[in-house]
Amino acid sequence: MAIPVPNDDPEKPWPNAVDFHKLGKFCPRSRTRQKYYFEPVDDRQKLSLLPATLLTLFGILPSSSTLLPFVRWITFSNGIFHLVLGVVGFFAISAHSANSIYASMATVKGSVLVQSFSWASYFVLDFRANAVMLCFFVKRTACLRLFQQAQRLAPSFFPDRSTLRNKYNRWRRLALALGILCLCLPLFWEFLSNIGSIIQVAAPIDNRSKNNATFNQTTPSKTYLIPQPAYWGFFYFEVAAFCLAQLVIVFGVVLAVMLRSYLATMNASLSRLVNVHRNFLSIKASVTMTMSAQELQVELNEVRTHQASIRLFCAELNSCFGYTFFTSHILDQVSFMGFVAVVVVNLRGCEVPTLGWIFKFLSIAFFAGYSNLLLMPLANVYDESSTTNLRAYQLSVMIFNCYPAESLDSKLHGTIYDILCSSEPEDVVLRGARLITFKRSWFSAAMTFAVSFSVFAYEISQRADLQAKGL
């Protein structure tokens, strides 16, 4: 049984009659001659990620839905509002921190280099948040298209609906876990950073000056250069910028995880073809080849199509997030080294409360994790892509031995040669601002450099103390 359906979309013409089994949802229509009509359901599953949703809510990422124009304008204005006031807040709070540091320089002793690194961390933190946000905001439309492209690629790599659903659920859970973690950790860190002010307000009047003096060994003294209401207003925008910057990083990391999944699926297809031909060669005397050259050509064409899609997706991911990843990684590394310098400075006999030491070591752990562990999925992309060339070479050897009738200039050998040439090392790899390549060796070198700096800073600080004592 069929019913007529109006052709409302000329770009996607519907047939004159639609079977009831192919009908979608039943929708009310304006009260004209035809009161109701049926709309076809989009069978393609949608992927919603927590970081993308929150970034869209704050206007940092444009919305892909057909919202009303004034709603889109409100979200875009909200993003501009947070960006502008975040930058203004950075300069205001930096001026406040510089004034506090200048006031305490008279009492500072020790190495100037180590002291400079310990003070730099308070400026780098706010600069890092705004720099990441600006790098992402410039590419906001391209990032939305990249996310849509990732969703369009998923059904071609995972044609089975249950497999695709499982992959989507896995990516959602990963984005949810990383998003919540990267929102809670900065808020907890900011709470510890300002707990001295909270204790100062809650303490009895007689003990306030003492509490302020002890905790200020951890953070710069809060001699307010700007009015307190304005300071705390700017402080909100700085915290919001840092949290949104972390969501941007998580969003890019989840896209990198999706890229690695596509690579793993393509490599699994190559491994399956290698195993089929290896089994044939091992028992060649008793069986005949079950896969014809035409069937293998179809499989290789699919692999080559997937490989081209992966290379394009990787190039777009580098274009959208390359500078964002680079800025985040480098400035987090500087913050990590800065807090190491803070610990070295306070090892010279300063009376630091227990809470202050907890804050310092948690800061080191947090920024070491931000600069290395959080970005480790970027290195996994290179690990997965580096095995493609070996699998393609093994398959080319198997084809040469299993299909002796195929000439070397045949389409079959040409296809596997194209796959082999397109899987050279570092063809599919994520880079930061075209300056660094995200590999495990890079992260190991960055962490080794940070640890070496801590030893170097301690030695310099000890030598400066000995020189101050005249030894």
Side-chain angles (χ1 to χ4, degrees):
M1 184 177 179
I3 61 171
V5 178
N7 187 354
D8 292 334
D9 189 357
E11 296 182 357
K12 298 178 181 179
W14 297 350
N16 188 35
V18 179
D19 191 4
F20 275 120
H21 296 288
K22 298 180 180 179
L23 294 178
K25 59 183 179 180
F26 192 60
C27 304
R29 194 174 183 168
S30 59
R31 296 180 179 277
T32 57
R33 293 182 180 179
Q34 188 173 356
K35 187 174 180 180
Y36 298 100
Y37 75 108
F38 288 93
E39 286 184 347
V41 174
D42 187 3
D43 292 335
R44 188 172 58 189
Q45 302 182 47
K46 303 296 183 183
L47 177 62
S48 59
L49 302 177
L50 175 66
T53 303
L54 292 179
L55 290 173
T56 303
L57 183 63
F58 277 88
I60 307 301
L61 185 69
S63 175
S64 59
S65 61
T66 56
L67 297 174
L68 295 176
F70 77 93
V71 177
R72 293 198 299 267
W73 183 84
I74 288 175
T75 56
F76 178 75
S77 301
N78 186 28
I80 294 294
F81 181 70
H82 276 80
L83 281 174
V84 171
L85 288 184
V87 173
V88 174
F90 162 69
F91 287 107
I93 293 180
S94 296
H96 161 78
S97 299
N99 180 66
S100 301
I101 291 172
Y102 179 77
S104 62
M105 285 182 65
T107 60
V108 170
K109 297 179 181 180
S111 172
V112 177
L113 177 64
V114 179
Q115 289 287 350
S116 300
F117 262 96
S118 66
W119 291 330
S121 60
Y122 299 104
F123 300 97
V124 170
L125 290 178
D126 296 333
F127 177 74
R128 178 256 194 202
N130 290 282
V132 169
M133 291 288 291
L134 289 174
C135 289
F136 180 78
F137 196 80
V138 171
K139 296 282 189 177
R140 61 196 298 267
T141 305
C143 291
L144 177 60
R145 290 197 298 265
L146 178 66
F147 184 41
Q148 294 171 345
Q149 179 186 355
Q151 295 182 72
R152 288 193 296 269
L153 287 178
S156 63
F157 283 91
F158 310 107
D160 183 65
R161 293 179 63 88
S162 61
T163 304
L164 180 62
R165 188 183 305 111
N166 292 335
K167 288 291 182 180
Y168 275 8
N169 290 335
R170 179 185 175 185
W171 294 333
R172 287 191 191 101
R173 288 194 297 267
L174 177 65
L176 179 64
L178 289 179
I180 292 176
L181 186 64
C182 288
L183 285 177
C184 293
L185 289 182
L187 294 177
F188 178 67
W189 185 88
E190 292 290 352
F191 172 76
L192 287 181
S193 177
N194 292 275
I195 198 171
S197 300
I198 299 173
I199 295 175
Q200 178 75 3
V201 173
I205 297 177
D206 296 338
N207 296 333
R208 288 186 180 182
S209 60
K210 180 179 178 181
N211 290 334
N212 192 37
T214 56
F215 197 83
N216 279 342
Q217 299 291 337
T218 303
T219 58
S221 60
K222 299 208 177 286
T223 54
Y224 288 92
L225 185 66
I226 56 179
Q228 282 201 20
Y231 172 83
W232 290 112
F234 289 135
F235 178 75
Y236 158 74
F237 286 104
E238 287 306 302
V239 174
F242 194 88
C243 292
L244 290 173
Q246 290 301 97
L247 290 176
V248 168
I249 300 301
V250 170
F251 183 41
V253 166
V254 174
L255 290 177
V257 171
M258 296 174 69
L259 174 60
R260 185 197 178 264
S261 298
Y262 300 155
L263 277 167
T265 302
M266 184 187 69
N267 287 337
S269 299
L270 289 173
S271 298
R272 178 176 55 82
L273 294 176
V274 170
N275 291 332
V276 168
H277 292 81
R278 180 185 291 120
N279 293 336
F280 167 72
L281 290 176
S282 63
I283 51 177
K284 187 175 180 180
S286 58
V287 300
T288 58
M289 187 63 193
T290 58
M291 180 177 290
S292 64
Q294 291 77 14
E295 293 174 340
L296 179 59
Q297 182 65 53
V298 173
E299 296 276 356
L300 291 180
N301 287 337
E302 183 179 2
V303 170
R304 186 169 58 177
T305 302
H306 286 170
Q307 188 181 43
S309 301
I310 287 173
R311 288 168 63 91
L312 288 174
F313 183 74
C314 181
E316 290 295 325
L317 186 57
N318 278 322
S319 176
C320 292
F321 285 91
Y323 287 95
T324 302
F325 287 147
F326 175 80
T327 303
S328 172
H329 174 67
I330 295 300
L331 295 182
D332 282 338
Q333 195 73 14
V334 173
S335 300
F336 169 56
M337 295 165 61
F339 281 105
V340 169
V342 171
V343 171
V344 171
V345 168
N346 285 273
L347 286 175
R348 296 181 293 107
C350 297
E351 293 184 3
V352 180
T354 304
L355 193 60
W357 285 115
I358 293 175
F359 171 75
K360 292 179 179 64
F361 285 107
L362 280 179
S363 299
I364 292 174
F366 283 174
F367 287 99
Y370 291 157
S371 63
N372 293 279
L373 293 180
L374 182 59
L375 299 181
M376 192 57 68
L378 308 184
N380 294 338
V381 172
Y382 173 77
D383 294 341
E384 189 66 41
S385 66
S386 61
T387 63
T388 304
N389 188 265
L390 176 60
R391 291 183 171 94
Y393 175 74
Q394 290 175 337
L395 184 57
S396 66
V397 175
M398 298 296 177
I399 292 174
F400 181 80
N401 293 327
C402 295
Y403 302 95
E406 293 288 331
S407 61
L408 293 178
D409 58 348
S410 65
K411 186 177 180 181
L412 186 63
H413 283 284
T415 304
I416 189 61
Y417 180 76
D418 289 344
I419 296 174
L420 190 61
C421 292
S422 300
S423 58
E424 293 294 330
E426 298 192 7
D427 275 352
V428 179
V429 66
L430 296 179
R431 294 181 172 87
R434 302 179 183 178
L435 295 176
I436 61 176
T437 301
F438 290 109
K439 304 179 185 177
R440 293 183 183 273
S441 58
W442 169 262
F443 289 114
S444 300
M447 186 58 67
T448 302
F449 176 77
V451 173
S452 301
F453 169 79
S454 63
V455 177
F456 175 72
Y458 180 77
E459 292 294 333
I460 289 182
S461 180
Q462 291 294 105
R463 183 173 299 179
D465 289 341
L466 293 176
Q467 290 177 356
K469 294 177 183 180
L471 299 178

